[in-house]
Amino acid sequence: MADHVDQVLGPTDDTVSFFQDRGMVYVTALWVLAAAWLPMLLITLLIRMAAGYRPVAADIVVYAEFTLIVPAVLAAVALLIAWRRLGWLHTSVHGLDFAATGRRPVHLPWSGIAAVALHGRGPFTELVITPIAEDYATELAGAGGPPRVRRRGGEYSYIIDVGLMSPGPEVLLAELHRRLPSKV
């Protein structure tokens, strides 16, 4: 990794932080898991009925419990696994510091950013940051896997999940537009 000159002109205390809210992550995981779990439960019931099983009135309670409890428990387990590794992003006069969920953080000076864009909708919105060159980014120390990257043709980009960040992706885009008006 090469060092690049990134002159800092202005106050050093203008950091804006974006982070994934744990409550929003839990609720989103709960609804996604429930949307996947309910059809699987219904298919299982239909297959059992096709094989000769005849449900009784007491089975309604059991299937209602399965429908409510299993997604809630799985969402809680998923959140506990990712508890300290949720995504975040900080902007300051020094550049961008960011980490996708479960990934090591990266620092990218403002002078090293070629383009920034949002892709996706709702909780699945992703921020795509394209550096001028790969050596502009510095991988910071921390736990997690390697930074999430996308290579298309000769382009190298970092991907950060920002759909559940607080404040929202629109505020993040406005902040990046303030710092990089010609690249957002």
Side-chain angles (χ1 to χ4, degrees):
M1 306 258 175
D3 290 328
H4 298 282
V5 176
D6 191 32
Q7 293 182 342
V8 176
L9 302 172
T12 59
D13 61 346
D14 73 337
T15 300
V16 179
S17 296
F18 298 86
F19 59 93
Q20 285 184 328
D21 183 31
R22 289 182 175 103
M24 290 176 65
V25 170
Y26 176 76
V27 169
T28 302
L30 175 67
W31 288 110
V32 168
L33 289 167
W37 176 249
L38 183 60
M40 290 190 302
L41 197 59
L42 291 174
I43 290 170
T44 302
L45 180 61
L46 292 174
I47 291 173
R48 288 181 68 191
M49 288 174 65
Y53 173 74
R54 296 292 168 236
V56 295
D59 290 338
I60 294 172
V61 174
V62 172
Y63 281 102
E65 287 174 350
F66 280 156
T67 303
L68 296 173
I69 293 172
V70 172
V73 170
L74 290 177
V77 168
L79 184 61
L80 286 174
I81 290 170
W83 187 260
R84 293 193 160 268
R85 299 173 58 191
L86 294 175
W88 54 269
L89 185 138
H90 302 290
T91 65
S92 70
V93 292
H94 301 286
L96 280 175
D97 294 325
F98 57 87
T101 302
R103 306 301 178 121
R104 284 190 296 272
V106 174
H107 171 75
L108 191 58
W110 295 116
S111 63
I113 297 176
V116 178
L118 285 178
H119 293 284
R121 298 184 72 148
F124 305 106
T125 304
E126 296 177 330
L127 180 68
V128 179
I129 302 171
T130 306
I132 292 173
E134 287 185 46
D135 66 344
Y136 272 84
T138 305
E139 194 173 313
L140 304 173
R148 202 170 144 207
V149 296
R150 177 180 71 192
R151 296 178 192 268
R152 287 192 180 163
E155 188 176 87
Y156 181 86
S157 300
Y158 291 96
I159 311 290
I160 303 108
D161 40 338
V162 297
L164 297 175
M165 283 198 178
S166 179
E170 295 81 19
V171 176
L172 172 61
L173 195 60
E175 171 66 13
L176 293 174
H177 184 68
R178 181 178 76 88
R179 303 244 189 209
L180 301 165
S182 63
K183 298 178 183 179
V184 177

